[in-house]
Amino acid sequence: TLVVRGRDVEASDAEASDKQGGVDQQQHQQERAMPSLGRSVLALAAAIAAASAIPADPYNFTQLIDHFGTSTATYEQRYYQNVTWFGGPGSPILCIMGGEGAIEPSTGIFYPFVTDVLAKRFGAAVIEPEHRYYGTSLPFGAESFTDDNLHLATPLQALADAASFINAKRAEFGCDPTPGSEGYCPAVTIGGSYPGWLSAMMRLRYPAVVDMAYSASAPMYFYTQEVDEYAYYELITQSAEKA
């Protein structure tokens, strides 16, 4: 906190005018600096975003369009993986949940700590599916956003996507499907914000698929409809005022 201390003084009209002129000049200089400051902030944000992910080559997984209907129609779900440290059957699988946005190859795998530290320490594979209806993971291609097709853009379908994907990767990696066996590969989901909520729900809804879930900054009360759509902004406003 910056505290400015001063003393009361009596100034003539001329002195007051000089002071006002100095204030106007300072304000003008600040206004001129704003575009440069804005560019600097944007550059910093871009740098932080780049540092919070690891670029990777994309893959595609053939996924059911509707997990709860009778149709067997499929779409190609984009995903990323890193098996640099994977120890094979019996080693864990860390699944980073995709959220409300495309995951381009230039972004690749979120949270370098997961790949560079956790995966190395535990000999884990890291996988990251893109959320349906984002990026190239479009169930109906160019027609995905019509009124008739958007009804499958639900968290319930996204959770089923992740469960199917994790099971398929377990089989691909040669893991024993029996929990507790020597070759079993425990799965851990990871996410923050909306993907954090998805991560928690994976453990709740698919306990036979996910052995542990890490959920950061997840809007749990929002999805249980215990708070309204303005609760987040109200909390941030309260925090800002206290600061």
Side-chain angles (χ1 to χ4, degrees), residues 9-186:
V9 297
E10 293 183 359
S12 66
D13 291 344
E15 290 174 331
S17 178
D18 289 342
K19 289 183 179 180
Q20 182 61 45
V23 170
D24 291 343
Q25 183 179 4
Q26 182 180 15
Q27 182 176 356
H28 180 64
Q29 291 174 342
Q30 290 175 341
E31 289 174 351
R32 291 182 59 189
M34 284 306 294
S36 176
L37 176 61
R39 288 193 295 270
S40 298
V41 170
L42 289 176
L44 177 60
I48 292 174
S52 63
I54 303 173
D57 293 328
Y59 300 88
N60 284 316
F61 174 69
T62 301
Q63 187 70 263
L64 280 175
I65 292 177
D66 186 358
H67 293 274
F68 308 104
T70 58
S71 173
T72 58
T74 61
Y75 77 99
E76 295 303 303
Q77 182 180 28
R78 182 164 63 178
Y79 74 93
Y80 300 88
Q81 71 177 27
N82 187 304
V83 293
T84 301
W85 309 109
F86 187 50
S91 301
I93 297 173
L94 308 179
C95 179
I96 299 174
M97 302 295 292
E100 66 279 30
I103 307 176
E104 301 298 340
S106 57
T107 299
I109 301 175
F110 294 121
Y111 317 132
F113 180 80
V114 174
T115 299
D116 296 339
V117 179
L118 296 182
K120 182 178 181 179
R121 179 177 179 181
F122 296 105
V126 179
I127 58 177
E128 179 187 74
E130 185 175 61
H131 195 293
R132 59 169 50 208
Y133 286 86
Y134 290 99
T136 64
S137 303
L138 304 177
F140 299 98
E143 301 298 317
S144 294
F145 303 103
T146 65
D147 291 341
D148 291 336
N149 292 332
L150 273 175
H151 69 286
L152 293 178
T154 66
L156 197 63
Q157 293 284 352
L159 293 172
D161 280 345
S164 176
F165 177 63
I166 292 172
N167 279 335
K169 297 307 289 186
R170 270 197 177 113
E172 178 186 322
F173 293 152
C175 304
D176 191 319
T178 306
S181 64
E182 185 176 350
Y184 178 72
C185 298

Side-chain angles (χ1 to χ4, degrees), residues 187-212:
V188 181
T189 53
I190 299 168
S193 190
Y194 168 55
W197 179 84
L198 290 174
S199 177
M201 292 304 101
M202 283 298 296
R203 174 59 181 160
L204 181 65
R205 186 167 181 83
Y206 295 99
V209 176
V210 174
D211 300 271
M212 183 183 297

